[in-house]
Amino acid sequence: MKDVTQLTEGWSLSHEGALLDARVPGCVHTDLLAAGLIPDPFMGLNENDIAWVGRRSWTYTHTLGAPGNLAAPQAHERTDLVFDGLDTAARISLDGRELGSTRNMHRSYRYDVTGRGGELRVEFASAYDEAAAVRASTGERPNVYPEPFQYIRKMACSFGWDWGPTVVTAGLWRPVRLEHWSTARIAQVRPLVTVDDRAGRVELRVDLERTAQGADQPLVARATVAGIEARAEVRGDAVTLVLDVPDAQLWWPRGYGEQPLYDVELTLHTADGADTGSALDAWRRRVGFRSVVLDQKPDEHGTGFTFVVNGERIFVRGVNWIPDDVLPSRITPERYRSRLTRAAEANVDLVRVWGGGIYEDDAFYDACDELGLMVWQDFLFACSAYPEEQPLRGEVEAEARENVVRLMPHPSLVVWNGNNENLWGFRDWEWEDKLAGDSWGEGYYLGLLPRVVAESDPTRPYTAGSPWSGSWDHHPNDPDHGTYHSWEVWNRQDYTDYRDNVPRFVSEFGWQAPPAMATLRRALPGEDLAPDSPGMLHHQKAEDGNGKLNRGIERHFAPPQGDFDRWHYLTQVVQARAVATGIEHWRANWPRCAGTIVWQLNDCWPVSSWSAVDGDGRLKPLHHELRRVYADRLLTLQPGADGTDLVLANQGATAWETTVNLRLMRTDGTLAARLTLDLTAPPREVLRLAVPPEVLPATGSAKEYLVADSDELRALHLPVRDREFDYPEPRYDVAVETVGSDRNTVDVVISAQTLVRDLLLQPDRITPHATADRGLITLLPGERTRIRVHGAQGAGANTVRAALFCVEPA
């Protein structure tokens, strides 16, 4: 059997004539940090102070032939040196002889080092120098950012983004190992997993590599799944095994069913005539049986974009995912699971892996498989024109083929996407004249990549881009055709303008807010926090980001002059309301609109951004709001043709039979009118009806509002914006109750004496590690609520009250 030796220890990084201990997997920045030679780039303005690291060349060394790292226990015929990831342009040599060179972070590399030893050197060129050399060869291409990421196959956002720092890495960012083997090894397995009326099939297409001695030796391949076994003799370098599972349990997205996973094992043996001889190699993965179709048929509204899983049409409740750390070698399986669990807790059912990042580690997709989170996987192209000439074209094809095969066992993966915003950019961002006929990536998105997917992974759909209308017959970002990115609202308009159209599928939209206060205080120690203080501005990467935040506040609230705490609270409120406004409107228009993917779930450092979970892992109010608006059952009040509509959106598998209480309330706390409706929303459908006029507030009234309640769900309608509304001075009582014998957990009990709108407890203001189970809450006079807080040991009512905020009169 093949033997593997992991090369995690014994590496050194050369720096200023000295050798530093190096960690593999890792990168230059993590090693310099560990040695105390650079400051934390996430703190204060330190990003500027470590920019020099990305502009230097770096060399890693290791001694092959040291005890235990080269000699194979069974004296195998062959020893391969395998790099799962090199970031990025590197020259590899062993004992002074070059093994090869690399120029792609997103590929693995294998070198025959049989019988060899000595000093292993991995010499990384500066990513800037590599990009400059490619640019000199291919010519200039337009880019929405000033950095040269389109000339190098590297994580684009390491060069900075409108939410990320410029931290240009280099290093051995994924594992390195020696593989010792004889006769033959399993080089690649493509598992095509299909299901037809509960009859599952796993078709394993296997490629082998043989040694010279094993070139003509007969071999046997065996595979098993769910107690089914297949066996095949292998005479050449490829074989296909088919396993039929007669009663396969279906894998479903969360909220639609369970996620059963099946272990598939493939073993390769020498043949001894009747049966199998000694085992040579093995391959093991988990698969799930499910079908996925992307319905893009034209209809009376344009061109649809609806996911159909196991025959079930799905309104996608999604979030966009960026690399969770600008130093991605630091992301552990536990961190992946924590972040993705947060997504599942927010009732998310799809995560889009955005094209300016990386193909994530298998631990990411394993967690999605288990949590029932569908994965939309971008190929790694974003916001730029990409040359299609060599050396990039060959790298792009090799990268795509390797990662398609690596990821295709995962049932959570439901679609491949060619790029992020590049087809749109060509049409709208003044690229065409600048390109003057040069290549820009269209050949990748409409030619190479769909061909790779069709050849290697025909069980999954492919779409050319996000956004993309399906063809050049329509504008690439036409809301009536295909996928749509809604950014005009954040950039220039009020969030209520989300209601102006009904896109077929919204694959990006969002609104910014700063991170939690405890995150800011950790990242900006000692700073007198203000929206425009030095550290706050440095941790705001969006163009005119603070201007957009301030305009978002001022459209609805009185500007909080000189009160940072109030500003911080209102930005959180506006972010949560903005995203909720879009989702509620688009869900109310299912099935015409078939999904939303919020920008974004996570952050790669502490920053003001569109995320629901900040860079330290703390939840913004947006996360709690996503849990509400992405729940199976959503109650919302929407503008209607002749007033206001009551909408019950039911994504559950059973009918929603409920009683809706409608109340017309006055701001002084008195009841003006009440109406009760017994309603039924069918499964997977939307019920919409006009609110009867007797409970509607008068148009333009600042003293009346409508409240709809049903099954602990609440929706509000105010006829005017908050700054024009006659809010009473909020009054409420606060009590703190210990939960059981755990003094670390308390219930904060709030009793309202007046209308209390968008009450928010910011738990990290109590203690930095405290968490709360609720976000924004609106209470009517006389109502009481409980917020459970973990990590708040010793907190009293005064401490808690200081962490409470709500809407106040203008």
Side-chain angles (χ1 to χ4, degrees):
M1 178 64 81
K2 178 175 70 180
D3 293 299
V4 176
T5 304
Q6 297 293 340
L7 300 181
T8 57
E9 305 294 333
W11 289 90
S12 298
L13 172 67
S14 300
H15 175 61
E16 303 293 350
L19 293 179
L20 308 178
D21 289 338
R23 182 176 180 179
V24 174
C27 70
V28 171
H29 290 82
T30 56
D31 294 330
L32 294 175
L33 279 166
L37 295 175
I38 60 171
D40 185 341
F42 292 0
M43 303 289 283
L45 310 184
N46 290 345
E47 174 196 350
N48 298 332
D49 297 332
I50 56 92
W52 59 271
V53 177
R55 296 189 175 274
R56 290 194 182 182
S57 59
W58 298 92
T59 299
Y60 283 84
T61 56
H62 184 89
T63 301
L64 285 187
N69 75 4
L70 186 59
Q74 301 175 12
H76 282 292
E77 299 171 44
R78 173 91 170 257
T79 297
D80 289 347
L81 173 63
V82 182
F83 298 94
D84 281 342
L86 292 167
D87 175 17
T88 293
R91 175 182 175 272
I92 302 110
S93 61
L94 180 59
D95 196 27
R97 295 167 56 192
E98 184 169 339
L99 295 176
S101 59
T102 73
R103 60 194 333 152
N104 194 327
M105 179 181 181
H106 310 300
R107 292 179 57 188
S108 63
Y109 298 91
R110 178 181 294 267
Y111 303 102
D112 182 353
V113 295
T114 305
R116 297 176 59 185
E119 184 184 57
L120 173 63
R121 293 176 63 86
V122 184
E123 300 172 82
F124 290 97
S126 161
Y128 286 101
D129 291 345
E130 167 69 10
V134 172
R135 177 163 46 192
S137 172
T138 63
E140 192 78 23
R141 298 295 192 280
N143 185 343
V144 298
Y145 293 105
E147 300 283 331
F149 59 80
Q150 73 266 49
Y151 305 105
I152 182 170
R153 295 309 298 160
K154 175 178 173 57
M155 184 174 84
C157 64
S158 67
F159 290 93
W161 220 262
D162 58 3
W163 37 256
T166 300
V167 181
V168 181
T169 52
L172 298 90
W173 77 289
R174 281 184 165 159
V176 184
R177 64 187 177 276
L178 292 171
E179 292 187 0
H180 315 280
W181 55 282
S182 297
T183 306
R185 71 175 186 91
I186 298 170
Q188 176 178 275
V189 180
R190 288 191 295 124
L192 302 179
V193 182
T194 55
V195 63
D196 183 9
D197 194 25
R198 302 298 289 269
R201 168 168 287 191
V202 180
E203 182 178 318
L204 300 177
R205 300 183 179 181
V206 185
D207 294 328
L208 307 180
E209 182 181 8
R210 294 175 180 258
T211 64
Q213 294 92 321
D216 299 319
Q217 187 167 341
L219 305 173
V220 171
R222 278 190 168 180
T224 60
V225 62
I228 308 298
E229 181 174 317
R231 177 184 183 279
E233 294 186 2
V234 189
R235 293 289 178 179
D237 295 331
V239 67
T240 298
L241 297 92
V242 177
L243 301 105
D244 289 313
V245 180
D247 190 24
Q249 301 297 305
L250 296 180
W251 183 96
W252 287 95
R254 62 159 306 281
Y256 289 83
E258 301 300 317
Q259 294 80 42
L261 298 169
Y262 291 79
D263 293 314
V264 179
E265 182 169 357
L266 169 71
T267 53
L268 182 67
H269 305 259
T270 58
D272 64 357
D275 209 333
T276 57
S278 61
L280 299 172
D281 202 356
W283 177 93
R284 299 174 182 86
R285 297 292 188 276
R286 292 185 307 174
V287 302
F289 294 99
R290 57 101 186 96
S291 65
V292 57
V293 174
L294 196 51
D295 184 354
Q296 301 177 79
K297 294 191 296 291
D299 58 24
E300 68 273 22
H301 303 297
T303 308
F305 195 92
T306 304
F307 285 90
V308 184
V309 179
N310 299 329
E312 186 78 56
R313 300 177 73 82
I314 291 175
F315 180 96
V316 165
R317 295 168 276 186
V319 288
N320 281 274
W321 171 275
I322 64 171
D324 204 55
D325 197 321
V326 76
L327 306 178
S329 62
R330 299 197 297 196
I331 307 172
T332 63
E334 293 76 20
R335 185 161 155 185
Y336 276 127
R337 185 167 295 275
S338 174
R339 292 289 189 270
L340 292 167
T341 298
R342 290 301 197 192
E345 290 169 349
N347 293 312
V348 166
D349 59 22
L350 180 144
V351 179
R352 175 190 172 211
V353 181
W354 168 77
I358 58 176
Y359 304 100
E360 300 289 344
D361 187 81
D362 282 323
F364 173 94
Y365 305 93
D366 287 340
C368 290
D369 291 343
E370 296 167 13
L371 293 168
L373 295 171
M374 296 180 287
V375 175
W376 164 318
Q377 178 67 55
D378 280 16
F379 287 101
L380 302 185
F381 304 89
C383 301
S384 181
Y386 285 79
E388 296 176 40
E389 292 78 22
Q390 297 294 8
L392 291 177
R393 185 175 183 85
E395 290 294 341
V396 166
E397 180 165 1
E399 164 195 320
R401 291 191 180 280
E402 177 175 337
N403 284 284
V404 165
V405 172
R406 178 173 74 88
L407 300 182
M408 60 188 292
H410 295 282
S412 56
L413 180 56
V414 295
V415 67
W416 292 100
N417 175 54
N419 76 90
N420 176 77
E421 298 190 343
N422 293 343
L423 295 161
W424 181 20
F426 178 76
R427 176 60 57 88
D428 275 3
W429 298 349
E430 301 178 353
W431 288 3
E432 194 164 0
D433 290 342
K434 296 176 184 177
L435 286 164
D438 287 340
S439 67
W440 55 275
E442 182 183 28
Y444 295 147
Y445 319 134
L446 300 180
L448 173 64
L449 295 175
R451 185 175 76 248
V452 168
V453 172
E455 293 172 357
S456 297
D457 188 15
T459 67
R460 286 182 179 87
Y462 170 86
T463 183
S466 181
W468 178 234
S469 61
S471 77
W472 287 114
D473 293 339
H474 308 286
H475 187 281
N477 200 32
D478 187 330
D480 293 329
H481 299 275
T483 52
Y484 178 70
H485 287 194
S486 180
W487 284 119
E488 283 299 299
V489 171
W490 156 251
N491 285 317
R492 296 174 181 85
Q493 300 169 339
D494 183 51
Y495 63 73
T496 56
D497 293 338
Y498 282 132
R499 299 180 181 132
D500 287 350
N501 62 18
V502 182
R504 307 312 304 270
F505 192 103
V506 187
S507 47
E508 277 190 24
F509 79 107
W511 203 275
Q512 269 202 356
M517 281 296 295
T519 300
L520 288 174
R521 296 200 181 283
R522 185 194 67 81
L524 306 174
E527 180 162 311
D528 185 9
L529 293 176
D532 59 353
S533 60
M536 285 295 296
L537 289 178
H538 186 75
H539 288 247
Q540 166 60 277
K541 297 294 186 179
E543 181 181 2
D544 190 29
N546 276 8
K548 294 168 186 175
L549 286 175
N550 291 333
R551 288 190 290 275
I553 291 173
E554 290 163 7
R555 292 182 185 113
H556 294 269
F557 302 100
Q561 302 294 342
D563 185 344
F564 182 78
D565 288 343
R566 192 80 193 154
W567 180 86
H568 183 270
Y569 160 74
L570 290 175
T571 58
Q572 306 290 327
V573 170
V574 173
Q575 181 190 38
R577 283 200 197 176
V579 171
T581 296
I583 293 174
E584 290 184 23
H585 166 63
W586 293 320
R587 275 193 70 177
N589 283 280
W590 161 260
R592 180 173 173 178
C593 179
T596 58
I597 309 181
V598 176
W599 189 271
Q600 65 217 60
L601 174 68
N602 60 323
D603 273 325
C604 64
W605 75 315
V607 64
S608 292
S609 85
W610 298 261
S611 71
V613 181
D614 77 15
D616 281 8
R618 294 185 175 92
L619 304 184
K620 296 182 185 178
L622 173 59
H623 182 273
H624 297 284
E625 199 69 354
L626 286 177
R627 186 173 61 188
R628 179 183 71 84
V629 296
Y630 272 166
D632 281 350
R633 294 175 175 179
L634 172 66
L635 179 73
T636 179
L637 294 164
Q638 293 290 312
D642 298 309
T644 299
D645 286 354
L646 174 68
V647 178
L648 279 69
N650 179 22
Q651 284 184 257
T654 59
W656 180 11
E657 298 178 355
T658 188
T659 298
V660 179
N661 292 305
L662 296 169
R663 284 178 285 174
L664 177 60
M665 299 292 299
R666 302 186 185 97
T667 54
D668 63 5
T670 59
L671 176 69
R674 179 195 294 270
L675 186 64
T676 299
L677 302 175
D678 293 323
L679 301 173
T680 299
R684 318 291 193 205
E685 291 189 18
V686 171
L687 177 67
R688 185 168 190 148
L689 66 157
V691 173
E694 58 264 35
V695 290
L696 278 178
T699 301
S701 172
K703 294 182 178 295
E704 294 178 319
Y705 59 101
L706 172 63
V707 183
D709 290 305
S710 170
D711 299 331
E712 299 185 356
L713 304 178
R714 170 165 286 176
L716 267 73
H717 165 62
L718 275 62
V720 295
R721 296 189 178 187
D722 291 77
R723 64 182 300 161
E724 301 159 358
F725 191 69
D726 187 24
Y727 278 107
E729 194 69 36
R731 298 193 309 275
Y732 53 87
D733 297 321
V734 179
V736 178
E737 299 177 359
T738 301
V739 177
S741 60
D742 181 10
R743 295 189 58 82
N744 201 43
T745 301
V746 300
D747 276 352
V748 175
V749 183
I750 300 166
S751 303
Q753 301 170 33
T754 63
L755 170 65
V756 179
R757 181 81 189 278
D758 283 340
L759 181 73
L760 176 65
L761 174 63
Q762 297 189 14
D764 59 289
R765 290 177 180 264
I766 301 172
T767 65
H769 300 294
T771 61
D773 68 347
R774 305 280 299 278
L776 299 172
I777 305 166
T778 293
L779 299 174
L780 304 186
E783 290 185 335
R784 173 180 293 185
T785 192
R786 288 177 178 268
I787 305 172
R788 181 149 295 180
V789 182
H790 299 280
Q793 185 172 5
N798 289 337
T799 301
V800 170
R801 184 177 280 275
L804 283 166
F805 297 82
C806 68
V807 173
E808 297 178 354

